[in-house]
Amino acid sequence: MNNVSAGIPVKIKLQTKVTQKNETEDFVFDLDGQVVQMNGTLYIRYKEVQPDGQEFPVTMKITPDSQIQLIRSGAARMRMRFAYKKSVETSYKTPYGMFLVTTYTNNLHVSLKDRPFSGTITIDYMLAMGGERVGDYKLYLEFTA
């Protein structure tokens, strides 16, 4: 990886499949982003664009032990953590207050390549709030320098 510590511009394809109450929605985004590597941890940064045009910074943090944090800023702030076959509790801060949410990760896969510098991240997880299942999510992110 050539000088990833300084940050490399990347093209990102982000696909999310959300299943809630037996209804499924698919979302696909083509985004510009940046990848930075510091102390063995990989950070993928991009801006999430809302239907009203607002942009919120998002960082996906991939640690050397293959745990992933999804950090989203803006009006609603969240720091979700994913660890393979584990439940992880975290907070979700909205303008209406703080909520505790739990993720259970069924599938987590990270694949990185050097030439060209690129990678894929797959996270399949269940989200619960207050002990109630909110839905099932499949996130697929692909980046290429």
Side-chain angles (χ1 to χ4, degrees):
M1 290 184 240
N2 302 342
N3 200 17
V4 182
S5 61
I8 295 177
V10 292
K11 294 287 184 195
I12 295 173
K13 180 171 189 162
L14 177 64
Q15 298 175 331
T16 308
K17 179 178 279 209
V18 180
T19 304
Q20 295 176 325
K21 298 179 183 162
N22 296 323
E23 289 190 19
T24 301
E25 281 189 277
D26 290 298
F27 302 93
V28 179
F29 302 96
D30 289 306
L31 308 162
D32 291 319
Q34 183 183 48
V35 174
V36 178
Q37 186 169 30
M38 294 186 297
N39 302 322
T41 298
L42 199 65
Y43 298 86
I44 301 170
R45 297 183 175 131
Y46 57 93
K47 291 196 186 309
E48 186 178 279
V49 182
Q50 298 299 307
D52 64 5
Q54 287 189 70
E55 293 184 349
F56 296 108
V58 176
T59 301
M60 187 177 283
K61 177 181 174 183
I62 305 160
T63 60
D65 62 357
S66 293
Q67 289 197 26
I68 296 177
Q69 278 189 47
L70 189 62
I71 304 157
R72 183 177 179 275
S73 303
R77 293 207 321 250
M78 74 174 175
R79 183 181 291 260
M80 293 172 63
R81 290 205 278 292
F82 306 96
Y84 181 66
K85 294 291 183 190
K86 291 187 179 169
S87 288
V88 181
E89 195 171 83
T90 188
S91 60
Y92 185 39
K93 185 179 180 185
T94 73
Y96 309 104
M98 184 82 74
F99 298 95
L100 288 179
V101 296
T102 303
T103 59
Y104 178 79
T105 307
N106 298 303
N107 181 29
L108 183 106
H109 184 78
V110 177
S111 174
L112 302 173
K113 293 180 185 164
D114 275 344
R115 295 173 200 267
F117 181 55
S118 59
T120 60
I121 294 103
T122 303
I123 309 170
D124 296 348
Y125 65 99
M126 184 273 298
L127 183 70
M129 189 181 307
E132 297 286 321
R133 184 185 210 123
V134 173
D136 295 296
Y137 298 76
K138 292 182 183 294
L139 184 148
Y140 176 79
L141 184 145
E142 182 179 344
F143 71 86
T144 307

